[in-house]
Amino acid sequence: PWETAQTVSLPQAAWNEFRRIGHDTSMAASLHSVLRMACGQIEDQMNVAASIRLYDEQNDVLEFNPRWSPSFDRADADRPVGRTVQPLDQGICGWVARHRIPYRADDVTSARRRGVRAEQPAFIELNPKPFAVRSELAVPIMYGKNKLVGVLDVQSEQKGRFSDSDVALLELAADQLAVSLEMARQYERLGDKMRALLTWKSNLTASSAWWHS
């Protein structure tokens, strides 16, 4: 079984840096800011390419925009901005979203992977990266026990780059991020409703003025 944040012993400084992600992202002004800030901090701490795939519950897919991640943004700078849609039956992130447990691939080019409890997920290259990926680690982002928010994923050009300690740190980061992401999504939904209400009010006022003219 996977080690957890409660059973892995790490320097206090490491825990503090990853706990800070939740504090910093909770003050971000938008969903994009939360995603970009979190990925940037994880990349700085671990020297990896980090990304967050958001779960679209309505369509049962993961969504990702390269602009949410500094590494992916640099590698994808010349391509049109747009979101990538990933079905849950594809790739390592899709597997993690379906099973809601971490997955570590020590060598994405090998069929032998550690930590598997169900069928083997296959590595897929959905977006350009600044290096050839050799290892990958993904953990689910859960809001509470049952609500899937997304998947936090890190990739490295080094074979066997990730350890049980890295799993524990990413799980801690995912726990911190779940609240920030859910709050940012709620704010965006509220903003959409307010804009719709203001548009309706504006149209109603215009119609009323025309009627009485």
Side-chain angles (χ1 to χ4, degrees):
W2 288 105
E3 300 280 4
T4 66
Q6 287 71 38
T7 59
V8 173
S9 177
L10 286 172
Q12 188 63 40
W15 291 121
N16 291 341
E17 286 298 326
F18 275 76
R19 285 195 182 99
R20 199 184 72 187
I21 292 173
H23 175 268
D24 292 348
T25 56
S26 68
M27 297 184 290
S30 67
L31 180 61
H32 172 86
S33 298
V34 171
L35 294 162
R36 181 90 180 187
M37 184 183 299
C39 288
Q41 289 184 350
I42 292 170
E43 289 180 352
D44 289 344
Q45 290 298 318
M46 300 181 70
N47 193 28
V48 295
S51 65
I52 296 172
R53 318 297 168 106
L54 292 179
Y55 179 54
D56 178 353
E57 186 175 4
Q58 183 176 356
N59 297 303
D60 197 32
V61 295
L62 295 174
E63 288 188 334
F64 173 65
N65 189 323
R67 302 303 177 258
W68 297 344
S69 164
S71 288
F72 283 80
D73 194 9
R74 287 191 296 270
D76 213 24
D78 296 332
R79 301 180 65 182
V81 177
R83 297 191 179 190
T84 299
V85 175
Q86 182 176 351
L88 301 194
D89 61 353
Q90 294 183 10
I92 290 172
C93 288
W95 188 95
V96 168
R98 277 190 295 132
H99 296 280
R100 303 187 179 188
I101 57 174
Y103 184 85
R104 183 177 72 218
D106 291 332
D107 185 358
V108 299
T109 64
S110 171
R112 297 178 60 188
R113 298 184 176 93
R114 299 168 56 187
V116 179
R117 297 180 182 174
E119 74 277 10
Q120 293 265 355
F123 171 77
I124 57 174
E125 190 86 36
L126 290 177
N127 300 91
K129 303 182 182 65
F131 52 78
V133 178
R134 289 300 304 274
S135 57
E136 182 172 4
L137 168 62
V139 301
I141 303 172
M142 303 295 298
Y143 185 73
K145 292 183 178 180
N146 299 315
K147 184 172 184 179
L148 177 68
V149 177
V151 175
L152 173 57
D153 181 79
V154 289
Q155 301 176 351
S156 172
E157 60 187 332
Q158 300 176 26
K159 180 179 176 181
R161 162 65 178 79
F162 303 109
S163 65
D164 289 340
S165 297
D166 293 316
V167 176
L169 285 172
L170 276 201
E171 286 184 315
L172 175 62
D175 287 343
Q176 302 285 317
L177 275 170
V179 177
S180 297
L181 289 170
E182 192 62 20
M183 287 176 57
R185 277 180 154 180
Q186 292 295 337
Y187 284 139
E188 285 204 348
R189 293 188 189 108
L190 181 60
D192 291 341
K193 290 180 180 178
M194 288 298 296
R195 283 189 288 271
L197 179 60
L198 290 173
T199 299
W200 173 81
K201 182 179 179 181
S202 177
N203 292 339
L204 182 63
T205 302
S207 298
S208 178
W210 175 86
W211 181 261
H212 291 92
S213 61

